[in-house]
């Protein structure tokens, strides 16, 4: 009978579950995901309820934005030659936020991830609000900020955020931005695993 008796110490030791290390795909794997799915985009595409991602062409067309019911604009190319949007340009009917980002792999866009996400979140939780996020083409800078928002406020992984946006619009953040989003993804995964 004593031969059939199991030691609870050994059972507990063998059943310990270690937390997996946060995993995020490589830049090459992310680019493969970005190359798949939707391969086109319009001047604006609704990528999340009442959140539109688009280009400078529409950003400069106040009448079309008014017809769409846009109440907030996030310009991810603020102050750049092609994207001169400002509070003065949109007037008092639109809440404006500008991020002076360059679409270069060595530009540190990550320092704007949380402030831009907070602006997006406040707009998305305002009654009747519609937000237009843009840069020059609407596929790299502005797309990266929308991805960061989905990761920070909606607990999406980077891959899931990319797939969600790509259901509605072609996007392709540059490699530097992808690396910064990878870092954010790992940080958020780690924070959530400790909760």
């Amino acid at each position: 009978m004593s031969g059939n008796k199991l030691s609870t110490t050994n059972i507990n030791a063998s059943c310990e579950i270690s937390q997996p290390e946060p995993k995020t795909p490589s830049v090459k794997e992310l680019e493969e995901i970005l190359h798949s799915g939707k391969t086109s985009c319009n001047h604006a595409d609704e990528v999340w309820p009442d959140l539109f991602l688009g280009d400078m062409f529409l950003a400069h067309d106040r009448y079309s934005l008014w017809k769409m019911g846009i109440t907030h604009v996030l310009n991810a190319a603020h102050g750049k030659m092609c994207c001169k949007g400002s509070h003065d340009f949109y007037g008092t009917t639109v809440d404006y936020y500008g991020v002076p980002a360059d679409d270069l792999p060595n530009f540190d866009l990550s320092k704007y991830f949380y402030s831009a996400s907070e602006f997006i979140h406040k707009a998305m939780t305002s009654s009747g609000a519609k937000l237009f996020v843009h840069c020059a083409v609407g596929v790299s800078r502005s797309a990266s900020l929308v991805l960061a928002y989905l990761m920070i406020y909606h607990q999406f992984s980077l891959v899931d955020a990319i797939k969600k946006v790509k259901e509605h619009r072609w996007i392709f953040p540059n490699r530097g931005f992808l690396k910064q989003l990878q870092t954010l993804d790992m940080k958020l995964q780690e924070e959530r695993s400790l909760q």
Side-chain angles (χ1 to χ4, degrees), residues 7-26:
S7 164
T8 53
T9 308
N10 290 340
I11 292 173
N12 290 339
S14 65
C15 290
E16 281 182 24
I17 299 172
S18 61
Q19 291 293 332
E21 287 294 315
K23 168 90 170 79
T24 192
S26 68

Side-chain angles (χ1 to χ4, degrees), residues 56 58-62 65 70 73-75 84-96 132 134:
M56 67 179 175
L58 184 61
H60 295 158
D61 185 350
R62 288 179 291 197
L65 292 173
I70 298 298
V73 171
L74 191 166
N75 177 357
K84 297 275 188 196
S86 66
H87 291 284
D88 294 337
F89 179 77
Y90 293 108
T92 57
T93 59
V94 171
D95 203 356
Y96 176 84
F132 179 59
H134 78 92

Side-chain angles (χ1 to χ4, degrees), residues 47-105:
V47 297
W48 189 256
D50 297 322
L51 193 166
F52 296 82
L53 181 56
D55 62 22
M56 67 179 175
F57 179 84
L58 184 61
H60 295 158
D61 185 350
R62 288 179 291 197
Y63 180 68
S64 291
L65 292 173
W66 174 78
K67 280 188 357 185
M68 289 171 64
I70 298 298
T71 58
H72 294 71
V73 171
L74 191 166
N75 177 357
H78 175 76
K80 305 303 169 194
M81 193 163 58
C82 58
C83 297
K84 297 275 188 196
S86 66
H87 291 284
D88 294 337
F89 179 77
Y90 293 108
T92 57
T93 59
V94 171
D95 203 356
Y96 176 84
Y97 183 73
V99 172
D102 292 316
D103 190 13
L104 299 170

Side-chain angles (χ1 to χ4, degrees), residues 3-4 7 13 20 28 66 68 89 101 103 109 122 167 169:
N4 292 335
S7 164
K28 185 174 166 52
W66 174 78
M68 289 171 64
F89 179 77
D103 190 13
L109 187 64
K122 283 182 178 174
E167 287 174 11
R169 183 179 181 83

